[in-house]
């Protein structure tokens, strides 16, 4: 079966390449020439536009920067035909971009109204996971669509979770990343307090990483240099998971908090802190570098 893969950037490029390596016929498009060239070298046939890539494809993947990109491409812009009208009836549209829950629901509704099938399948695992084919996919949409997509998602990912109806994949990602941000800030505050109380980071790590406070932010992505050799803190906070991506994901979590009227003081505080950290020029650092802000606030 032919697969269209649109958005051949940092994530989409290696994901499309893994589909090619698994023996699929993949046709792709990206407006960025360098992305097209890299994908072509990996065996992706390049179409002249997204709309030209989709006819004849049973499945259309999108891996775009934002929900606005997804909705514009589905609908078509400035009199140009959109992906939904260019595709053959019954095409399975799989959007792996990280977008808001409301945008994901809207995209799925548009696809269904145009006679297609749709899933939201945001990922975690970063560029390294996309490259190695070890992503986690959080999937929202009907069981039948999920079953149809599973063999393809398994090519690109190691863990595939069916989270519920359309939008549930994005909802799961928003909740997961909001908690991740809160735990990283909490871990950072504990290390800064420990330092002020005269504890060594190593002592605190030894206890917290094996006590009830144990979490990924302490044990794997520890925000202080020393205890975990592979954590970004030991490598000048090179990502890892960049602050700019965390700030984006927290913006989407905030939109979900607002649209559901959910009180979540820590989630809102985390969103504000990461937004400020990004705006002060730290977007390229791993998100564990938030400890720098917490230290500065305590000088
Ligand atoms: P990227 O900017 O490298 O790639 C996105 C690509 O989409 C760009 O090359 C862009 O030219 C292309 N594009 C935009 N509109 C298009 C259109 N209409 N048709 C075809 N191509 C189009 O971004 P990325 O890092 O690959 O991230 C993609 C998505 O994955 C984002 O939503 C991001 O939040 C999410 N994500 C990224 C990571 C990561 O570590 N980079 C991790 C998890 C999730």
């Amino acid at each position: 079966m032919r697969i269209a893969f649109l958005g051949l950037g940092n994530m989409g490029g290696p994901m499309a390449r893994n589909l090619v390596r698994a023996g699929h016929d993949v046709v792709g498009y990206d407006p960025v020439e360098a992305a097209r060239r890299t994908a072509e070298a990996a065996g992706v046939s390049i179409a002249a536009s997204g709309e030209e890539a989709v006819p004849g494809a049973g499945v259309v993947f999108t891996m775009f920067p934002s929900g606005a990109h997804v909705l514009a491409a589905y609908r078509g812009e400035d009199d140009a035909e959109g992906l939904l009208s260019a595709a053959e009836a019954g095409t399975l549209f799989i959007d792996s971009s990280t977008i808001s829950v409301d945008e994901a629901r809207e995209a799925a509704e548009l696809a269904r109204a145009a006679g297609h099938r749709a899933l939201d399948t945001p990922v975690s695992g970063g560029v390294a996971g996309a490259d190695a084919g070890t992503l986690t996919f959080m999937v929202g949409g009907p069981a039948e669509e999920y079953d149809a997509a599973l063999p393809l998602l398994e090519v690109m990912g190691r863990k595939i979770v069916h989270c519920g109806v359309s939008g549930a994949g994005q909802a799961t990602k928003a909740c997961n990343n909001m908690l991740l941000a809160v735990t990283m800030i909490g871990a950072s505050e504990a290390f800064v307090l420990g330092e002020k109380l005269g504890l060594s980071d190593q002592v605190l790590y030894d206890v917290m990483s094996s006590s009830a406070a144990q979490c990924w932010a302490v044990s794997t992505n520890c925000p202080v240099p020393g205890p975990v050799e592979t954590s970004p803190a030991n490598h000048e906070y090179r990502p890892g998971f960049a602050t700019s991506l965390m700030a984006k994901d927290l913006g989407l979590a905030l939109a979900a908090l607002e649209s559901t009227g959910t009180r979540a003081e820590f989630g809102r505080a985390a969103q504000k802190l990461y937004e400020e950290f990004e705006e002060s020029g730290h977007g390229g650092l791993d998100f564990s570098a938030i400890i720098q802000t917490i230290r500065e606030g305590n000088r």
Side-chain angles (χ1 to χ4, degrees):
M1 181 188 44
R2 171 170 269 224
I3 298 167
F5 206 114
L6 311 176
L8 301 165
N10 293 325
M11 297 291 289
M15 290 165 74
R17 187 203 60 214
N18 285 338
L19 289 170
V20 171
R21 282 191 186 158
H24 294 289
D25 172 17
V26 183
V27 54
Y29 177 71
D30 193 298
V32 175
E33 198 198 335
R36 291 199 299 272
R37 268 207 309 268
T38 308
E40 193 169 25
V44 175
S45 331
I46 300 297
S49 67
E51 291 66 37
E52 292 198 18
V54 299
V59 175
V60 176
F61 278 96
T62 42
M63 194 51 167
F64 295 164
S66 73
H69 288 89
V70 176
L71 291 171
Y74 275 23
R75 286 195 184 106
E77 272 187 315
D78 305 330
D79 296 336
E81 191 187 21
L83 301 177
L84 296 178
S85 59
E88 286 166 17
T91 299
L92 177 55
F93 277 82
I94 305 181
D95 179 42
S96 286
S97 326
T98 303
I99 69 176
S100 76
V101 176
D102 289 343
E103 288 165 329
R105 288 179 180 152
E106 190 178 348
E109 275 164 25
L110 285 171
R112 280 196 198 101
H116 302 304
R117 301 173 296 152
L119 292 172
D120 52 293
T121 66
V123 300
S124 81
V127 177
D131 213 44
T134 56
L135 292 169
T136 295
F137 282 89
M138 294 154 267
V139 185
E144 243 175 70
E145 271 96 314
Y146 172 78
D147 291 342
L150 191 57
L152 299 177
L153 302 182
E154 281 173 341
V155 166
M156 300 179 283
R158 191 158 52 193
K159 189 165 174 69
I160 326 293
V161 182
H162 189 197
C163 305
V165 297
S166 291
Q170 300 292 352
T172 304
K173 177 149 177 145
C175 294
N176 182 72
N177 283 13
M178 186 177 82
L179 174 59
L180 176 60
V182 169
T183 57
M184 182 54 80
I185 292 166
S188 300
E189 289 185 348
F191 277 110
V192 170
L193 175 62
E195 287 160 13
K196 285 174 90 88
L197 291 170
L199 295 173
S200 80
D201 290 338
Q202 186 66 49
V203 162
L204 202 47
Y205 170 83
D206 288 344
V207 173
M208 293 199 301
S209 63
S210 57
S211 74
Q214 192 278 332
C215 61
W216 189 85
V218 169
S219 303
T220 305
N221 214 71
C222 191
V224 292
V228 182
E229 164 47 34
T230 50
S231 79
N234 279 316
H235 305 278
E236 289 145 7
Y237 292 99
R238 280 194 300 277
F241 183 38
T243 292
S244 57
L245 290 174
M246 178 53 98
K248 173 193 167 181
D249 290 358
L250 286 170
L252 298 176
L254 181 66
L257 290 174
E258 305 270 324
S259 73
T260 54
T262 304
R263 274 190 67 184
E265 286 168 25
F266 287 19
R268 284 171 196 266
Q271 186 275 328
K272 196 161 169 283
L273 207 57
Y274 273 103
E275 185 177 68
E276 287 167 4
F277 194 49
E278 187 195 21
E279 282 172 358
S280 60
H282 300 95
L285 296 180
D286 185 75
F287 82 115
S288 58
I290 197 76
I291 194 169
Q292 295 172 355
T293 280
I294 292 161
R295 271 212 187 89
E296 258 158 42
N298 278 291
R299 287 233 163 88

